[in-house]
Amino acid sequence: MTDFDALDVIVVGGGGAGLAAAVTAAEQGAQVALFESERELGGSTQLSAGMFTAAGTSVQRGLGVEDTAERHFQHYMDLNQWQLAPGLIREFCAAAGPTLEWLLGLGLDIPHAVSPDAHTPGLCRAGVEDVWRGHVPRDQGYGLVQVLDRARRGHGVEAVLGTRVERLLCEDGRVTGVVADGIEVSAAAVVVASGGFARDPGLLDRYYPEARDAGDSLFVVAAPGSRGDHFAFAEQTGSSLTGQGWGLMLPTASFQRYHHWQAGFPPKSRVYVNGEGRRFMDEDASYAVSSGIIRAQRGPVWAVFDEKARTGLPVGYADWTPDRIAEEVRAGRLLSAGSVPELAAAMDVPADALSATVARWNTRLAADGTDPDFLREESLAAKGSPESPAPIAAPPYYAARVLPAELVCTHTGLEIDRTAAV
């Protein structure tokens, strides 16, 4: 049992970040306790792919990939239009590679293999970078949590489960401990790793209202403990917040209620069209940019596919299956018609435009595997699926509403300097 009268460090939050902080402090000889509001460790990390983005790693070198922390930094800042603190991000990118090597040293298993997606172990394209930096461990986020938890136990760090930190203790402008279950616990330092706030509707309304644009189609994949406890800590200590309005919404069908690895995936042979009936993007564009492309369109966005695509969907998933599509059609939540012009009428888009879009698909990407408009063949090749999609030519035809509706993470948090101090 940890001696709570002699703590050097208290870690608030038992997800991946909290476990890593606890182990790191314990390796330095600190007496550490970790407080987790839920009944098990892991948080949203345990539910995730566990993808770790880093540059200049042994995994990259093992695959002949040349990369540096400086290139990582430049890409990170450019992608975010330099709206982030450069000093902090430079430190983050410089530390990412060594941190990954530290995790490998603890026993994390990342195969030296090219991965076609963010859930297959190996090295994958994490977003839109030109050098692949996404390191996916075996057993994904669950595997990462298990490695860190094993190290935590090995260093004798006690995890106090089912204990939510109510407030921070402050003295002379410095945080000196926490109050949990009405008990004051002192420490020389407190690490706040309490995660996001996706499970708190009021905080979403205030700090990430864009998520509400999805209406009834919104669903959350964060862990139950993502309740934004750090906002109260900020108020108690007069700390600054940053990242308001930032988060990650993934495009999904309006009827989808689970992450893709439970929901299944839309058919490969599909086109995304906007309110003008025109195709406007690579349907396999990275999640890093796809939601923004969809939001920029006039009118609703639809995924258009045919009967062959529907019947070719694999069974065993929750949402994208042949039977579920048929069920959604019967319920009137997914459109269907016997011809493309009739489908256009149901979608309230110009029939000539939708017909031209489908015809171009059938004579280009489906015919010779090239997509001169949006280069989708490159995305498909990167995902290990270079075969040409089938034509969209087998009635009946279907249209499913597509919008950013899967709330993956929220980004408003305590503002920190380049040493990670609040």
Side-chain angles (χ1 to χ4, degrees), residues 17-248:
L19 283 166
V23 173
T24 301
E27 286 181 341
Q28 304 300 315
Q31 188 77 357
V32 186
L34 184 153
F35 289 82
E36 167 56 43
S37 65
E38 306 308 299
R39 291 294 179 182
E40 65 176 345
L41 297 171
S44 294
T45 302
Q46 186 162 248
L47 306 177
S48 75
M51 184 175 66
F52 195 106
T53 304
T57 69
S58 57
V59 177
Q60 287 178 313
R61 290 192 295 272
L63 292 169
V65 176
E66 296 183 7
D67 196 13
T68 66
E70 185 60 33
R71 289 182 67 180
H72 188 188
F73 165 74
Q74 188 69 42
H75 172 74
Y76 201 130
M77 293 301 296
D78 289 347
L79 184 63
N80 289 282
Q81 300 178 324
W82 285 75
Q83 296 183 49
L84 306 175
L88 172 60
I89 302 304
R90 186 185 294 276
E91 290 292 330
F92 172 84
C93 293
T99 300
L100 183 76
E101 301 302 330
W102 172 72
L103 289 168
L104 293 173
L106 293 179
L108 188 67
D109 182 8
I110 300 177
H112 288 206
V114 174
S115 164
D117 54 61
H119 286 261
T120 302
L123 186 69
C124 74
R125 182 165 60 181
V128 292
E129 70 272 23
D130 60 340
V131 175
W132 291 16
R133 300 190 177 101
H135 298 71
V136 183
R138 203 175 301 279
D139 295 326
Q140 303 178 50
Y142 175 82
L144 174 59
V145 167
Q146 294 309 302
V147 166
L148 287 169
D149 193 37
R150 183 170 63 245
R152 173 194 66 81
R153 295 193 304 271
H155 284 286
V157 175
E158 182 167 354
V160 186
L161 301 179
T163 304
R164 192 173 181 182
V165 172
E166 301 155 21
R167 60 184 177 90
L168 303 181
L169 296 172
C170 296
E171 185 176 334
D172 298 327
R174 181 177 178 82
V175 174
T176 58
V178 304
V179 178
D181 288 346
I183 300 173
E184 295 187 359
V185 184
S186 299
V190 174
V191 176
V192 176
S194 57
F197 56 93
R199 292 294 180 182
D200 188 303
L203 291 175
L204 274 182
D205 290 340
R206 182 175 179 183
Y207 294 103
Y208 193 36
E210 185 175 282
R212 294 299 189 185
D213 294 345
D216 292 340
S217 295
L218 175 68
F219 67 98
V220 178
V221 295
S226 296
R227 295 185 295 257
D229 290 349
H230 56 286
F231 289 105
F233 301 156
E235 292 180 3
Q236 295 159 14
T237 58
S239 302
S240 297
L241 294 171
T242 188
Q244 289 93 329
W246 289 57
L248 179 59

